[in-house]
Amino acid sequence: SQTIHQWPATLVQPVGSPLSLECTVEGTSNPNLYWYRQAAGRGLQLLFYSVGIGQISSEVPQNLSASRPQDRQFILSSKKLLLSDSGFYLCAWSPGLTGMNTEAFFGQGTRLTVV
Amino acid sequence: AQRVTQPEKLLSVFKGAPVELKCNYSYSGSPELFWYVQYSRQRLQLLLRHISRESIKGFTADLNKGETSFHLKKPFAQEEDSAMYYCASTYNAGGTSYGKLTFGQGTILTVHP
């Protein structure tokens, strides 16, 4: 069966420090991968998605970047964190090469607090 | 731009009462709608999707294109229904959507005994 791992679960980082959140998927090949964020008082917002190795699309301009060095690995990064980067980050995957009605499977999330 | 709106941030009902979680969307095309749920200490997971027209855990949701709504309903709420509920959509703008979801702000449902 497929599983998705996301870590760490919580993270407190000072302003200006770098960030690296990692997400891996097991039990499937060529998944679509996503990073979502929930900021305080707002819904989940798609940050990045990837349909293949090295293929990253950004949905909103921001201080973050994403990379997909391997088929089932998705990394969210920042060189210098801002206070506004605080939030709850969710990694998700869905089967690749499918249409609109595919279920997305979510990781447990990372609570990031920038201080 | 796509938008999904859940007007109620919090919703409280008593056990056995009917519950309706509201969701409205705005699109120029034909979206596909979903309800996702997150129970305490669990991952966000799919509850139901409009295309399936199914009832899951007693919940149903009907897509009303005239009102651009996709409200989630259950005739008799149970305590175990207490959770965060997200309405979400994806759409096909002439190509594949790649499964990208647009979420509402979420509604926290509390069912009191």
Side-chain angles (χ1 to χ4, degrees):
Chain A
S1 62
Q2 302 92 351
T3 56
I4 179 170
H5 303 281
Q6 182 183 343
W7 67 93
T10 60
L11 191 60
V12 180
Q13 292 283 100
V15 168
S17 65
L19 172 73
S20 181
L21 302 181
E22 190 163 342
C23 173
T24 59
V25 181
E26 296 177 358
T28 187
S29 297
N30 197 31
N32 292 337
L33 297 172
Y34 314 88
W35 280 110
Y36 290 88
R37 176 175 64 191
Q38 182 175 34
R42 302 182 63 179
L44 287 165
Q45 183 181 37
L46 179 63
L47 302 178
F48 301 95
Y49 72 96
S50 171
V51 299
I53 297 174
Q55 300 179 60
I56 309 295
S57 296
S58 174
E59 289 293 297
V60 293
Q62 58 206 311
N63 184 44
L64 303 168
S65 62
S67 62
R68 185 171 177 173
Q70 301 180 44
D71 182 44
R72 289 168 287 180
Q73 184 184 28
F74 205 26
I75 298 172
L76 184 68
S77 304
S78 174
K79 293 182 179 178
K80 291 185 178 181
L81 284 169
L82 306 172
L83 288 174
S84 58
D85 292 325
S86 294
F88 187 63
Y89 290 82
L90 276 173
C91 181
W93 76 273
S94 69
L97 299 177
T98 55
M100 297 165 52
N101 299 304
T102 306
E103 178 177 356
F105 300 89
F106 289 84
Q108 291 185 307
T110 297
R111 176 74 59 188
L112 172 66
T113 304
V114 182
V115 297
Chain B
Q2 309 172 61
R3 181 179 293 180
V4 177
T5 303
Q6 293 177 251
E8 303 144 326
K9 188 173 182 178
L10 301 170
L11 184 62
S12 291
V13 300
F14 286 99
K15 177 182 175 180
V19 62
E20 179 179 65
L21 290 83
K22 291 183 168 54
C23 172
N24 290 89
Y25 65 92
S26 60
Y27 289 101
S28 57
S30 297
E32 294 298 335
L33 279 298
F34 307 83
W35 277 98
Y36 279 81
V37 62
Q38 186 168 26
Y39 301 103
S40 178
R41 299 188 189 87
Q42 294 187 29
R43 303 181 183 205
L44 187 64
Q45 58 188 289
L46 179 67
L47 178 63
L48 55 79
R49 67 193 89 188
H50 122 257
I51 192 97
S52 301
R53 302 185 187 280
E54 56 194 346
S55 173
I56 303 294
K57 298 184 179 182
F59 284 97
T60 59
D62 292 320
L63 181 62
N64 186 323
K65 292 187 177 180
E67 296 181 356
T68 60
S69 68
F70 188 57
H71 303 326
L72 184 68
K73 301 177 183 179
K74 185 170 183 176
F76 307 103
Q78 303 299 314
E79 290 179 69
E80 55 266 29
D81 295 328
S82 296
M84 169 73 94
Y85 291 81
Y86 288 99
C87 184
S89 72
T90 188
Y91 75 105
N92 187 340
T96 181
S97 67
Y98 299 113
K100 296 182 291 180
L101 291 166
T102 297
F103 284 90
Q105 298 92 328
T107 298
I108 299 174
L109 173 65
T110 303
V111 182
H112 300 284

